[in-house]
């Protein structure tokens, strides 16, 4: 089985490297070490470093310029059997779900009425009480963990019935910060 690690390179430096290394070590063993040599061509722009690996070796490392996505709408997709507890290279199940989005930009995956993730990110909901992420996330992403560790967000169960309690939903991942404001009003989430 192959896995992916996506790392944001900004100003020529790896962002949140200890969190990425820890996730890779959970698959490859705690003695796994990787020293990334960031190419000069990465410059000082935001660059996406994509590492494909299996438990025994690094298969490929690529660097590409990163452009923030545009998300204006999400379609709720119920997928009770989807398992995505590791960042697998095979995203065929997620891609099949995303094809059901109709005219929406992305999907909001739910399981048994509980909110999980989008097709490419964890989610954070905002209301006057603060920022909240679903306890039922499919993948415990590195950015999500950093925000939990720094107490910027709280983890709670969020059901579909709870959506009216929130004003906005933010998409976060290794490349997307809360401050990037890739968010929509919860009213733009469709069933």
């Amino acid at each position: 089985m192959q896995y992916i690690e996506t790392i944001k390179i900004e100003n020529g430096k790896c962002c949140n490297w200890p969190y990425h290394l820890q996730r890779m070590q959970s698959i490859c063993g705690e003695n796994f070490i990787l020293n990334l040599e960031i190419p000069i061509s990465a410059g000082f722009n935001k660059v996406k470093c994509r590492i494909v690996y299996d438990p025994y070796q690094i298969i490929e490392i690529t660097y590409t310029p990163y452009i923030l996505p545009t998300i204006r709408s999400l379609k709720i997709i119920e997928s009770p059997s989807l398992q995505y507890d590791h960042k697998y290279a095979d995203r065929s199940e997620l891609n099949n779900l995303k094809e059901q989005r109709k005219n929406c930009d992305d999907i909001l995956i739910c399981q048994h009425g509980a909110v999980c993730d989008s097709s490419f990110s964890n989610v954070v909901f905002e209301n006057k009480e603060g920022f909240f992420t679903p306890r039922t996330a499919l993948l415990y992403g590195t950015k999500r963990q950093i925000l939990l560790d720094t107490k910027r967000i709280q983890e709670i169960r969020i059901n579909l019935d709870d959506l009216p309690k929130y004003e906005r939903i933010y998409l976060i991942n290794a490349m997307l910060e809360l401050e990037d404001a890739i968010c929509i009003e919860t009213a733009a989430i469709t069933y």
Side-chain angles (χ1 to χ4, degrees):
M1 178 140 333
Q2 293 184 351
Y3 304 90
I4 296 172
E5 196 64 30
T6 303
I7 301 164
K8 178 168 64 172
I9 309 293
E10 198 163 36
N11 297 324
K13 295 188 168 84
C14 291
C15 298
N16 309 315
W17 177 244
Y19 286 84
H20 294 289
L21 182 60
Q22 181 180 31
R23 182 159 60 187
M24 294 177 79
Q25 287 175 335
S26 74
I27 292 167
C28 301
E30 60 186 51
N31 292 327
F32 173 81
I33 295 174
L34 174 63
N35 294 312
L36 284 178
E37 294 187 22
I38 302 167
I40 293 172
S41 61
F44 291 96
N45 296 318
K46 193 181 290 189
V47 173
K48 178 179 179 177
C49 171
R50 184 176 186 267
I51 302 170
V52 180
Y53 66 103
D54 66 25
Y56 311 104
Q57 64 184 338
I58 300 296
I59 296 162
E60 178 183 48
I61 301 176
T62 57
Y63 298 88
T64 55
Y66 187 74
I67 298 168
L68 293 173
T70 301
I71 302 293
R72 292 185 206 96
S73 58
L74 296 170
K75 171 138 179 71
I76 294 169
I77 301 291
E78 179 74 27
S79 180
S81 61
L82 177 65
Q83 297 280 320
Y84 198 74
D85 55 341
H86 288 88
K87 200 165 179 182
Y88 301 110
D90 180 1
R91 292 180 44 89
S92 57
E93 281 188 80
L94 287 169
N95 292 337
N96 288 339
L97 290 175
K98 190 174 179 183
E99 287 179 12
Q100 299 174 44
R101 74 185 183 274
K102 297 188 178 177
N103 60 346
C104 291
D105 295 314
D106 198 30
I107 59 174
L108 183 61
I109 302 166
C110 298
Q111 292 187 328
H112 309 289
V115 175
C116 299
D117 291 324
S118 86
S119 71
F120 69 98
S121 70
N122 291 129
V123 295
V124 173
F125 289 86
E126 180 187 18
N127 64 19
K128 64 182 183 216
E129 295 173 23
F131 292 97
F132 303 90
T133 192
R135 181 173 286 129
T136 51
L138 295 168
L139 177 72
Y140 296 143
T142 56
K143 178 55 61 186
R144 179 183 184 274
Q145 192 58 52
I146 290 164
L147 292 172
L148 286 168
D149 288 350
T150 58
K151 302 196 182 323
R152 292 193 57 210
I153 64 174
Q154 297 175 53
E155 182 184 61
I156 63 170
R157 182 175 175 90
I158 300 174
N159 293 322
L160 288 174
D161 296 346
D162 297 323
L163 294 185
K165 297 177 187 176
Y166 300 97
E167 298 162 14
R168 279 176 220 79
I169 178 173
Y170 292 78
L171 305 184
I172 59 163
N173 62 27
M175 300 300 296
L176 298 175
E177 309 283 340
L178 273 176
E179 293 78 14
D180 291 326
I182 305 303
C183 65
I184 62 169
E185 304 293 318
T186 52
I189 301 172
T190 61
Y191 291 85

